[in-house]
Amino acid sequence: MPSMPITRDTAWNHWSRGLIAAANVNLALESFSSANPADPNGYSRNMLASLTLKRNYNAFRLWFGYADRFSIYPNDIVTIALYGWDSTAATSGGNTVAGVAAQMTKILDTALSLGAGIFLVTDFHQGPTDLLWSTNSGDLVKDPVTGQTTTYTYRDVLKMFWVNTLVKWQAHQALIGFDLLNEPNPLDSPQNDANGQLVFDAKLASYRALPNGWPQLAQTIITAIRAKEAQLGLKTPLPLIVEGMYGGGPNGLMVFDVPPTVSGGQSSLFLKDGNSPRIVYSFHYYDPGCVTHQGVTEWNYESLGTPYPMPGVSYDAYWYDGTPYGEFNTHASADDVKRDISRAISFKTKHPEAPVFVGEFSICQPSISQVYPPDPNRASNLPSVRVSEVQNTVAWQAPLLAQMAAVTNQAQADALVAAQGSNGARLYKEVFVGTQRRWITQLEVSADGKTMTATLGHTADPANTGDFDYGFRIWTTPLSASQLHDYAVSVNEPAVPSRGTQFATRFVGTPNARVVGRYSWQDGSGSTQTIAMTANALHMSAVQSVTLTRHATTIEFAAPTGAPAGTKFVGALVNLPSDASDPSKTVPVQMPVALLWLESPRSGAQIDLSRLAWTQDALYTWQQNGFSWAWHSEDVDGPAGVVMWRPSKEIGELLSVAASGRHIAKRAS
């Protein structure tokens, strides 16, 4: 159990001193097949006990979001805001609001018995389709129960949701905070109107002056919660966690820092909370993304194999205070972590009374077996498994993806759409949109039969042609910043790699890859099904080491043995429905002739060593600056589906040391 048990009444002492050592978990703690029907809460109880006893965590950041039958999605948040937590209305996960509330109470009870605290966070993000930031008076909330349009905005809904959540668990001693909005990300760059005139400069001062921005919404929620606490006669104000802008990144905390109005004056905090404020300021840390998210997200597949510490630099592009920044940064030590979060440190220095909390930090170990289906025992079952591209193996998606790669004309496309019934638009909205960067749209064998070139046409997405999103998204280079500078001077190129420049060729990745022309999977009955794609004849059974260049759209392979010289496959251009509610709306899409498979050239053991070094650098930095923290995420000894973020054995031991209050040593770089 935690060395200092934490409760609602004592929580602020922990928050204010940077003593929260937590893990991110979700409401699906016992929602898997291994749960015992005779003791349905046994798994969550055992899991929380394991994490408090083995890891020494004293708190848990509990997610309302994806959680199997306990899922709480945006529509459910609307329902709770309108009807409260005792509602019997159905939820998106097939439960009822009251059913989810009962699970929540069980988890709180378990945490209390273990001396651990629970603080809650929603996955509301920006509201449905960013409506949380809408200034359109017509963007009102629709009641999920009645279907009628209400008079409320989504900003109203978020406030009402948290007030009703307070009412439901007002007296529970395990409840130690609300994280009001996960990763708020209102527009971070200047906005122009249809005539090209600047209408919003995205300066931090301008955000603070908005009537409906994130700082204002946070203040509205804080004020409403405090008013309800007073009405309920609650003596101890609940700590309220507020993340900054820019998706909750460390730079975003500065939106809450109000500069002095006179020379030599002191900064003040934007948010007000009475004479004894109980506000915790939070940021998330996942830098550099090419290391922490490699192979997980669609924008980071090409970074597979990036090591940590990185041997060269990455190009880090971002907006801050209305200005674009492009920096060549090393990512190899705790000093680099300190540089990355320098504005969060500055915020803490200016406002020492304001606790700072790293609400999420992590580095994944994605592997094909971990994600679909999850393998909770990857380390022992598959110690050498390598990071692999995962989208091609989503259970429902794989057959459709393979069938799309076998389409050669419009008639075949129409038949595939028709086979989906009323859900024909999923081929475009869910399969194409989610996997397009893996689609080989042209495959050509050289005249001598020795090489073959794969073209990934959809990496040049016409809807996303910004300089740094074009072609392969390689953000790293083995060269140092000075070497890059010298090269840029020698070829008379700008210091920032824009689309098509020679300088961009210095940014390369070297994953393993293969061309998939045949795909096999097991159906629901356990039978193996196989689909031959258009370029079946050029299927590769083994991976090759390849070079991916930033902004390029082609990969050169050694041609498979027996490949017919001069063979060329080109994907058919077909129209696919794009709107489930209007079948007449279609978009032209070039079909794949085969699919790209990427693997890291690094073994699982090598990846885990990188993860351990990154984690040590991060934990050392949090401790040095007095920040509380929460690892993302944990499912010790359980079959949770987020195992790609699970700490390795060595990382788990390091987290345990830090959670117990012992100092983490600075890693020798």
Side-chain angles (χ1 to χ4, degrees):
M1 295 178 67
S3 57
M4 292 189 295
I6 185 170
T7 66
R8 166 81 172 268
D9 290 337
T10 65
W12 186 249
N13 180 57
H14 290 73
W15 284 116
S16 63
R17 297 168 60 196
L19 298 178
I20 295 293
N24 281 268
V25 295
N26 69 38
L27 277 164
L29 292 177
E30 51 77 75
S31 62
F32 297 91
S33 58
S34 63
N36 181 357
D39 184 15
N41 199 45
Y43 175 64
S44 63
R45 185 168 58 251
N46 293 338
M47 175 180 162
L48 289 177
S50 177
L51 291 174
T52 52
L53 295 172
K54 292 182 179 180
R55 293 278 201 266
N56 297 311
Y57 293 131
N58 59 15
F60 297 96
R61 185 173 184 254
L62 186 65
W63 278 80
F64 295 126
Y66 170 73
D68 197 64
R69 67 178 181 271
F70 298 113
S71 298
I72 292 293
Y73 289 127
N75 273 350
D76 306 315
I77 290 174
V78 174
T79 300
I80 294 162
L82 297 178
Y83 297 99
W85 278 97
D86 294 326
S87 170
T88 57
T91 62
S92 303
N95 207 320
T96 65
V97 171
V100 176
Q103 166 72 350
M104 176 69 199
T105 300
K106 291 176 182 177
I107 293 172
L108 284 166
D109 290 345
T110 298
L112 184 63
S113 69
L114 293 166
I118 297 284
F119 51 102
L120 310 178
V121 61
T122 74
D123 203 17
F124 203 56
H125 273 72
Q126 323 317 319
T129 62
D130 291 347
L131 287 176
L132 198 58
W133 316 118
S134 173
T135 57
N136 185 346
S137 59
D139 286 333
L140 298 176
V141 172
K142 182 176 288 188
D143 186 327
V145 177
T146 67
Q148 300 298 309
T149 300
T150 71
T151 59
Y152 300 116
T153 66
Y154 281 94
R155 293 185 295 280
D156 296 329
V157 160
L158 188 59
K159 175 188 71 176
M160 295 158 63
F161 169 82
W162 283 121
V163 168
N164 283 343
T165 303
L166 173 71
V167 170
K168 178 63 178 176
W169 291 288
Q170 57 183 284
H172 208 296
Q173 279 293 304
L175 183 62
I176 65 166
F178 293 160
D179 192 332
L180 300 183
L181 183 64
N182 186 57
E183 299 179 347
N185 196 29
L187 297 172
D188 58 5
S189 57
Q191 302 298 303
N192 296 330
D193 62 16
N195 298 318
Q197 298 299 308
L198 182 69
V199 294
F200 185 65
D201 62 10
K203 298 282 189 181
L204 293 177
S206 300
Y207 279 110
R208 289 190 285 266
L210 286 173
N212 61 340
W214 168 230
Q216 296 77 15
L217 176 57
Q219 183 65 71
T220 297
I221 298 172
I222 291 166
T223 301
I225 288 174
R226 298 304 183 225
K228 180 57 71 172
E229 287 175 333
Q231 181 184 340
L232 295 171
L234 300 177
K235 303 298 184 183
T236 305
L238 186 70
L240 300 177
I241 303 155
V242 181
E243 300 176 28
M245 288 175 39
Y246 309 124
N251 292 339
L253 291 184
M254 295 304 290
V255 76
F256 301 117
D257 172 61
V258 181
T261 56
V262 297
S263 178
Q266 290 187 328
S267 298
S268 61
L269 289 167
F270 181 91
L271 298 175
K272 307 303 179 187
D273 191 25
N275 295 326
S276 299
R278 295 290 186 270
I279 299 176
V280 178
Y281 293 86
S282 177
F283 70 88
H284 295 176
Y285 184 74
Y286 289 104
D287 289 336
C290 54
V291 171
T292 65
H293 280 65
Q294 57 183 284
V296 177
T297 53
E298 190 67 16
W299 54 269
N300 239 354
Y301 284 131
E302 294 94 329
S303 296
L304 283 166
T306 305
Y308 185 89
M310 282 174 43
V313 297
S314 71
Y315 179 70
D316 300 339
Y318 62 95
W319 283 85
Y320 177 73
D321 200 19
T323 302
Y325 289 83
E327 300 170 349
F328 298 119
N329 288 324
T330 55
H331 293 280
S333 69
D335 292 334
D336 293 326
V337 178
K338 182 179 180 180
R339 177 208 60 228
D340 291 344
I341 66 164
S342 59
R343 290 190 175 100
I345 294 173
S346 175
F347 177 86
K348 178 64 175 175
T349 301
K350 291 181 178 182
H351 308 286
E353 76 282 9
V356 172
F357 166 54
V358 188
E360 292 181 24
F361 75 107
S362 195
I363 177 170
C364 75
Q365 57 152 4
S367 77
I368 206 78
S369 62
Q370 286 180 280
V371 184
Y372 298 104
D375 179 4
N377 301 307
R378 183 203 67 82
S380 56
N381 292 348
L382 298 163
S384 299
V385 74
R386 295 180 177 181
V387 180
S388 295
E389 189 265 39
V390 299
Q391 282 282 9
N392 292 355
T393 62
V394 181
W396 67 266
Q397 191 183 73
L400 292 178
L401 184 57
Q403 290 175 73
M404 292 173 82
V407 166
T408 59
N409 54 56
Q410 185 66 53
Q412 292 177 352
D414 292 343
L416 186 56
V417 169
Q420 311 310 309
S422 61
N423 204 13
R426 77 186 310 191
L427 295 178
Y428 174 77
K429 296 181 68 175
E430 299 180 43
V431 182
F432 169 74
V433 170
T435 66
Q436 59 183 302
R437 294 183 66 81
R438 307 281 64 80
W439 287 24
I440 298 174
T441 53
Q442 180 175 302
L443 194 57
E444 183 174 10
V445 180
S446 63
D448 60 9
K450 293 182 179 180
T451 62
M452 124 178 127
T453 301
T455 300
L456 287 96
H458 295 297
T459 59
D461 184 350
N464 192 15
T465 54
D467 281 352
F468 302 105
D469 288 328
Y470 177 89
F472 296 131
R473 298 169 182 172
I474 307 298
W475 299 83
T476 60
T477 173
L479 304 181
S480 68
S482 61
Q483 289 172 320
L484 284 170
H485 174 76
D486 291 345
Y487 178 79
V489 171
S490 71
V491 296
N492 193 29
E493 292 285 357
V496 173
S498 60
R499 181 174 60 214
T501 65
Q502 296 181 63
F503 191 71
T505 64
R506 303 293 97 176
F507 285 75
V508 296
T510 54
N512 290 334
R514 67 185 176 98
V515 172
V516 178
R518 291 189 300 276
Y519 190 75
S520 299
W521 74 96
Q522 286 192 328
D523 61 21
S525 67
S527 300
T528 299
Q529 305 291 331
T530 300
I531 286 182
M533 302 174 193
T534 302
N536 170 52
L538 299 178
H539 174 81
M540 295 170 57
S541 58
V543 295
Q544 299 177 9
S545 177
V546 298
T547 298
L548 305 182
T549 302
R550 184 171 179 79
H551 302 314
T553 59
T554 61
I555 306 175
E556 184 173 281
F557 293 90
T561 302
T567 301
K568 183 177 181 178
F569 295 96
V570 179
L573 185 65
V574 303
N575 292 312
L576 295 177
S578 58
D579 188 339
S581 63
D582 186 355
S584 68
K585 293 182 178 179
T586 62
V587 291
V589 177
Q590 186 177 16
M591 292 290 98
V593 296
L595 300 172
L596 176 67
W597 188 275
L598 295 178
E599 282 188 1
S600 171
R602 308 179 71 232
S603 70
Q606 290 172 318
I607 292 168
D608 280 346
L609 285 175
S610 283
R611 297 176 70 222
L612 179 63
W614 183 93
T615 305
Q616 183 174 348
D617 288 346
L619 284 170
Y620 171 82
T621 306
W622 311 157
Q623 286 189 341
Q624 291 299 303
N625 289 281
F627 296 165
S628 293
W629 52 266
W631 174 266
H632 186 281
S633 56
E634 281 276 17
D635 64 333
V636 169
D637 298 331
V642 290
V643 288
M644 60 186 161
W645 297 107
R646 170 185 287 165
S648 64
K649 178 178 181 293
E650 291 76 16
I651 291 176
E653 292 170 350
L654 190 67
L655 290 167
S656 177
V657 169
S660 69
R662 289 173 285 173
H663 289 292
I664 300 298
K666 186 174 185 180
R667 187 179 58 82
S669 58

